[in-house]
Amino acid sequence: MSDTVVRPVEEAVWHDLETVFSTRGDASGCWCQWFKIPRAQSDQLSRDDFHDRLHDQVRTGTPGVIAWVDGEPAGWSAVEPFSAYPNLARSPITKRLADDPQDPWAVTCFVVRIEFRKQGLARALLAGAVEHARAQGAEVLEGYPVDPEVRPSLSAAERYHGTVSLFRDGGFDVVRRPSATRAVMRRTV
């Protein structure tokens, strides 16, 4: 890949993040709020509401990392403590088990603009997410990827969690398989 820079998102680069999320597809409707808002509340919100919620999160914290390729905004990955994502605790895929770490950091999604796909940008975003979590004091990091080796027909939209091979290459190990196509993966940082 060309010159790629990944760093924690902040208010100063909000317009670049808007460029990433304004691409067509699921990202333009979600703005990385899927794991943060209960479904009943989510159904009442507009795209503008999702946009504004993420903007508020960027103003008050660092909910993820953004990537540029040759200076052009290209991708995003959400990474925060598990507790920042209330819907993760409700999901049968990500629900905590007795021996799980209490509040690991979680990499929940990737958004890569279409023109930057299949260039290794998700790997750079995952590495940036790991580094960001480490810098914030995280000890454990989790991901909840899909496994296209089990189901090759997974669409690009279904791969927003990342893939098992992506996380494996990033130093994560499978700790359980809650379904045939999903894994909980973990690494210490």
Side-chain angles (χ1 to χ4, degrees):
M1 209 173 4
S2 302
D3 181 31
T4 301
V5 174
V6 178
R7 70 175 216 216
V9 71
E10 59 188 5
E11 176 66 18
V13 298
W14 172 249
H15 292 298
D16 287 348
L17 191 59
E18 284 182 308
T19 298
V20 171
F21 274 94
S22 295
T23 189
R24 69 179 191 265
D26 292 339
S28 66
C30 176
W31 290 84
C32 234
Q33 300 303 300
W34 177 256
F35 296 109
K36 293 191 172 212
I37 305 171
R39 180 64 188 245
Q41 181 185 355
S42 176
D43 289 345
Q44 305 301 315
L45 299 176
S46 69
R47 286 181 182 213
D48 288 342
D49 293 328
F50 290 131
H51 167 279
D52 294 346
R53 286 181 62 91
L54 181 58
H55 196 185
D56 288 344
Q57 291 157 12
V58 168
R59 281 188 193 110
T60 60
T62 311
V65 295
I66 183 171
W68 294 265
V69 174
D70 293 333
E72 183 71 23
W76 149 269
S77 180
V79 57
E80 292 184 278
F82 187 94
S83 58
Y85 303 107
N87 289 343
L88 288 180
R90 291 190 273 279
S91 168
I93 300 293
T94 54
K95 187 176 181 180
R96 307 316 291 156
L97 301 181
D99 60 344
D100 284 340
Q102 285 298 93
D103 195 18
W105 278 58
V107 179
T108 58
C109 80
F110 295 87
V111 176
V112 176
R113 292 175 58 200
I114 291 171
E115 58 269 34
F116 297 101
R117 292 183 184 163
K118 298 185 180 184
Q119 299 176 32
L121 190 58
R123 287 180 182 357
L125 283 162
L126 182 57
V130 168
E131 186 50 43
H132 172 59
R134 178 183 292 122
Q136 298 301 308
E139 295 177 10
V140 177
L141 191 57
E142 287 185 345
Y144 316 105
V146 296
D147 195 345
E149 292 176 16
V150 173
R151 193 172 125 217
S153 63
L154 287 166
S155 69
E158 292 172 297
R159 295 172 191 233
Y160 76 94
H161 301 285
T163 63
V164 168
S165 62
L166 168 69
F167 279 88
R168 187 179 301 120
D169 292 349
F172 289 72
D173 296 312
V174 174
V175 294
R176 68 178 166 273
R177 290 267 186 172
S179 76
T181 59
R182 296 292 299 278
V184 174
M185 298 184 74
R186 190 177 295 146
R187 73 169 277 182
T188 57
V189 291

